[in-house]
Amino acid sequence: MTPSWILIFFISAIGAVPTRVTWVNGIGHNLEHMEDGKNLLSHMFGGKEVQFCHNPTAMAHEEDYVGLSTDLLQAGTQKFGWITGEVDELVRHLREAVKSVGKKGVVIHIAHSQGALITSLAAKQLTQEERSHIECICFGGAAAITRAEFPSFKRLVNYYSVNDPLLFVVPSASRRLQSGIFTSVEEDEYVFLTPRSGNPALDHALFGPTYCELVAW
C-alpha cells in the first residue's frame, strides 16, 4: 500500500491539493546536518521543497559528550512537559505551514526522535482546525502522538524499529509492541519495523537503513 503522504504529493503535483513538507529533528543536529537532511528528503519526495524547523544542538562536534548530555537534559525537561523555545518555534513553523497551504491544503510533518516529543508539545498549542491539515509522521519518537490525545490530526502514525532504544522511554509504544497488536483497522498509529542493521543506534537514525528505506518508499 502506498503511504498516503506520497499519494498527496502526487495529487499536489497536478495542482489538486496544495502541500508542504516539514521536518523537525532529534538531538545532535547542527545546521549543516539539517541542510544535508533537507536535500535528502527533498530527493526522496521527488524534488518537493522541504522546510525544516531546527531543534538546535549543544554539541560542538560529533564527540562532544558534554553537549550531548545537555541535549539529553533538555529532552528530559520536555518529557516532563516543559515548554522550551524549540516548542514555541515549532508552533510558529507549523502555523505558517498550515496558512501557506490554505483551507484545502495538507502539511506532511516528519518528526524524528526528540522532534516527535517537541511536536507533541507543540500540538497542544495548535487549534483543532490547524491540526486537521497536518499529517504527522513520526520515526523513533521520544513521544508517541496518538489519536486518543489528538483526534483532529489529519493522519497520525508512529514508526518504530523493534530495536529502537527510545521504546524504553515511550511506555505506550512499548506496550503496543509487547501486545503484538501493531496496527488497528481504524488507524495505524503504531507500525513496528524489522531493523535493517541490527545496530540500535543506527536503526534509530532517520537516515539510517531502517527509517530511511521507509521514507524513500
Side-chain angles (χ1 to χ4, degrees), residues 123-155:
K124 296 176 181 178
Q125 299 185 46
L126 299 175
T127 66
Q128 290 188 14
E129 173 63 21
E130 288 168 334
R131 291 194 296 267
S132 72
H133 291 277
I134 300 173
E135 289 204 1
C136 192
I137 315 297
C138 301
F139 295 89
I145 301 177
T146 65
R147 188 68 65 189
E149 186 173 11
F150 300 107
S152 59
F153 269 119
K154 186 172 183 65
R155 182 173 184 242

Side-chain angles (χ1 to χ4, degrees), residues 23-29 55 68 72 75 110-117 137-144 158-170 193-215:
W23 165 44
V24 61
N25 59 289
I27 66 172
H29 284 62
N55 166 32
L68 175 62
L72 292 171
I110 298 170
H112 175 244
S113 193
Q114 184 193 9
L117 174 58
I137 315 297
C138 301
F139 295 89
N158 300 277
Y159 289 104
Y160 287 97
S161 177
V162 297
N163 66 341
D164 195 311
L166 267 72
L167 285 167
F168 289 105
V169 299
V170 186
L193 307 170
T194 301
R196 294 293 184 260
S197 77
N199 180 326
L202 188 58
D203 288 316
H204 170 70
L206 180 60
F207 300 113
T210 301
Y211 296 144
C212 190
E213 180 178 294
L214 182 65
V215 177

